[in-house]
Amino acid sequence: MTKAYEFLKSHKMTAEDVNMKEVVNAFLSEMAKGLAGQESSLLMLPTYIEADGEVKANDPVVAIDAGGTNFRAAKVYFDDNLKLVTENIQKGKMPGVDEELSKADFFDTLAGYMSDYKKVSDKLGFCFSYAAEIFPNKDGKLLEWSKEIKAPEVIGRMIGKELLAAMGTPEKQLVLMNDTVSTLLAGKAARAIKTYDTYIGFILGTGTNTSYIEANCNITKTDGLNMEGSQIINIESGAFTLAPRTDIDLAFDNTTKNPGRYAFEKMFSGGYFGGLCTEALKTAAKAGVFAEPSAFENMEELSTEQVNNYVHGIEAAKSVLPGVFTHESDKLIAAEIIDGLIERAAKLVAANLAAVILQTGKAKLHEKPVLMTIEGTTFYKLHNFRTLFENYLNDFLSGENKRYYEIVEVENSSLLGAAIAAIVN
């Protein structure tokens, strides 16, 4: 048993300390409570967006993507062959990342980004990657920020209405959706030639979230739905609170802007994983795990990119971690601690998606799997993450839980999905 493993085990931070069946069952229970309007860490937000609308050719819309750190907009349409055409993509920094903004400053910044698109179309599809309650008119009210965005006056405001007012175009139609909803729609469109039993959208980048298609008859908290229909549900899975958190998870959580909120994503998403690793390494140093513990005393919080480069063996010019070690043994211990946390992360994410697959009640036949459209650099780039994730997921989805799935990545999925939603809804 290595020093790194002993340390992680002493703090119950190994993948072995995650009972996947218990996490899956807890996730399913929270989903059921959220759909029924009972107290739950999973908001289970109805989107009023169906996944079955038909795409129309030569119907230009404005697609908008407000992600973790970036804002993008583009003119989007489908040509005569229903091939996606994207023109005039513009990018900017998401307001509220670097400094706290007032409501007026926040929406004025977004409106400034949109100045070139006022005459493109009267239809806008807005992929908004934050928790918002969606209304039947498909606008949404911001419930809370995640990913460290600092614009508190925006909370409780109708995002589409405020943006259109700031643009001076209140008459336009805007469909607001989460990035996982956009991702789900983009995957469905990209794989239209094959039949799938159902669809899931999953993001693991700066933050994390999941969406899936739920039968309206199961959404008992919402009145007036067509009981024969279905719609996409935005789970807000990053807010799940029943995963097994440790003393190190809690200590790191207390250093973030909103302690206690979005606890699940703070265990593995890209906006937080580097900070969690930093907390673990410093705790290990204080416990005497390293030969030279003083090297960690004044170390600044590492980014996810830095810790990932380290375990990949990439000593990037701006990376802090390689330079703190003078003992070869310490280098290996640090890498093993980070890799151990990556494996735990993979098991937690596998539990998240296993629960959602089971909730659909579908994908029991090999010829009709669930299509999971997955986006985010953390999922695809974190050291060994996808391999570990699929190992845990496949192991769980066997026996009585046997389900079939495929994974697809779609370029510009947030913009594509936003465009599809604007065209078909």
Side-chain angles (χ1 to χ4, degrees):
M1 192 179 294
T2 66
K3 281 188 174 182
Y5 179 81
E6 287 179 353
F7 165 75
L8 291 172
K9 197 67 180 172
S10 70
H11 289 271
K12 298 182 178 180
M13 290 195 85
T14 70
E16 294 171 1
D17 293 306
V18 176
N19 184 316
M20 191 160 164
K21 184 176 181 180
E22 289 182 359
V23 177
V24 168
N25 287 339
F27 203 98
L28 284 167
S29 176
E30 292 290 274
M31 290 179 78
K33 291 176 183 177
L35 289 171
Q38 300 170 8
E39 184 175 347
S40 172
S41 61
L42 297 178
L43 295 175
M44 305 300 290
L45 300 169
T47 66
Y48 299 94
I49 295 175
E50 299 180 6
D52 297 325
E54 290 187 14
V55 170
K56 301 174 185 176
N58 300 307
D59 185 10
V61 297
V62 178
I64 308 168
D65 174 27
T69 56
N70 298 311
F71 179 93
R72 297 185 301 161
K75 174 184 175 181
V76 179
Y77 63 96
F78 293 85
D79 65 17
D80 292 332
N81 298 315
L82 296 185
K83 181 180 179 182
L84 178 72
V85 179
T86 304
E87 299 175 350
N88 191 25
I89 296 180
Q90 296 194 19
K91 300 178 182 179
K93 194 159 193 176
M94 184 66 186
V97 171
D98 294 328
E99 59 181 351
E100 184 171 312
L101 296 179
S102 67
K103 177 182 77 74
D105 287 339
F106 179 85
F107 285 107
D108 284 347
T109 301
L110 295 188
Y113 292 150
M114 297 298 299
S115 60
D116 289 347
Y117 301 97
K118 288 184 180 181
K119 297 181 180 180
V120 169
S121 175
D122 287 334
K123 298 179 181 179
L124 294 85
F126 191 171
C127 174
F128 185 72
S129 305
Y130 308 92
E133 179 184 1
I134 306 298
F135 291 83
N137 68 353
K138 299 182 176 62
D139 196 359
K141 178 174 69 177
L142 178 64
L143 298 176
E144 63 180 315
W145 287 117
S146 57
K147 307 165 194 170
E148 306 293 289
I149 298 296
K150 298 173 282 294
E153 291 181 6
V154 179
I155 295 172
R157 301 289 182 170
M158 298 297 288
I159 300 301
K161 180 180 178 181
E162 297 280 358
L163 174 57
L164 293 177
M167 291 171 61
T169 57
E171 74 286 352
K172 291 182 182 292
Q173 297 176 323
L174 187 145
V175 177
L176 193 82
M177 76 221 72
N178 186 269
D179 54 351
T180 59
V181 177
S182 295
T183 297
L184 185 156
L185 291 170
K188 185 175 185 295
R191 291 291 184 91
I193 60 172
K194 181 173 178 178
T195 300
Y196 293 90
D197 210 9
T198 191
Y199 300 85
I200 290 172
F202 180 69
I203 302 287
L204 182 53
T206 304
T208 189
N209 194 15
T210 320
S211 70
Y212 75 108
I213 301 170
E214 181 63 82
N216 286 344
C217 61
N218 293 330
I219 311 171
T220 57
K221 66 180 177 181
T222 304
D223 296 329
L225 297 178
N226 173 12
M227 291 295 100
E228 301 299 317
S230 63
Q231 64 181 283
I232 301 172
I233 292 288
N234 168 21
I235 297 175
E236 286 298 322
S237 56
F240 180 59
T241 58
L242 300 184
R245 295 203 293 165
T246 70
D247 59 325
I248 292 176
D249 290 304
L250 294 171
F252 169 65
D253 187 10
N254 286 330
T255 69
T256 63
K257 186 175 183 292
N258 295 304
R261 296 299 299 138
Y262 282 77
F264 198 43
E265 76 177 14
K266 291 174 184 175
M267 300 176 78
F268 51 78
S269 72
Y272 299 99
F273 187 71
L276 178 63
C277 290
T278 306
E279 186 70 36
L281 292 171
K282 288 187 173 183
T283 303
K286 291 176 182 176
V289 174
F290 294 106
E292 192 175 354
S294 61
F296 293 88
E297 289 177 359
N298 299 314
M299 188 176 68
E300 296 181 357
E301 182 173 300
L302 300 165
S303 68
T304 298
E305 182 181 13
Q306 287 175 324
V307 297
N308 193 38
N309 283 343
Y310 183 73
V311 291
H312 271 292
I314 302 170
E315 298 196 5
K318 295 182 180 179
S319 184
V320 176
L321 198 51
V324 306
F325 301 115
T326 56
H327 291 78
E328 191 67 28
S329 61
D330 284 354
K331 293 183 179 180
L332 297 175
I333 291 170
E336 191 174 343
I337 288 174
I338 295 167
D339 276 330
L341 294 178
I342 291 173
E343 184 172 3
R344 184 188 74 150
K347 194 170 185 180
L348 290 169
V349 172
N352 174 166
L353 285 169
V356 178
I357 292 171
L358 293 180
Q359 174 65 23
T360 70
K362 298 188 176 185
K364 296 179 181 180
L365 299 176
H366 183 269
E367 60 269 25
K368 289 187 70 175
V370 55
L371 180 66
M372 297 197 295
T373 308
I374 299 181
E375 298 297 328
T377 54
T378 305
F379 182 87
Y380 291 105
K381 301 297 184 183
L382 198 59
H383 189 235
N384 287 334
F385 180 90
R386 180 172 177 177
T387 298
L388 293 165
F389 159 79
E390 292 209 60
N391 287 342
Y392 282 119
L393 184 62
N394 290 331
D395 183 60
F396 188 84
L397 296 180
S398 60
E400 63 181 16
N401 293 322
K402 187 63 180 177
R403 300 292 189 278
Y404 298 91
Y405 70 88
E406 289 182 17
I407 293 174
V408 64
E409 182 181 16
V410 179
E411 187 178 359
N412 287 325
S413 63
S414 294
L415 287 175
L416 172 57
I420 293 170
I423 292 170
V424 305
N425 285 273

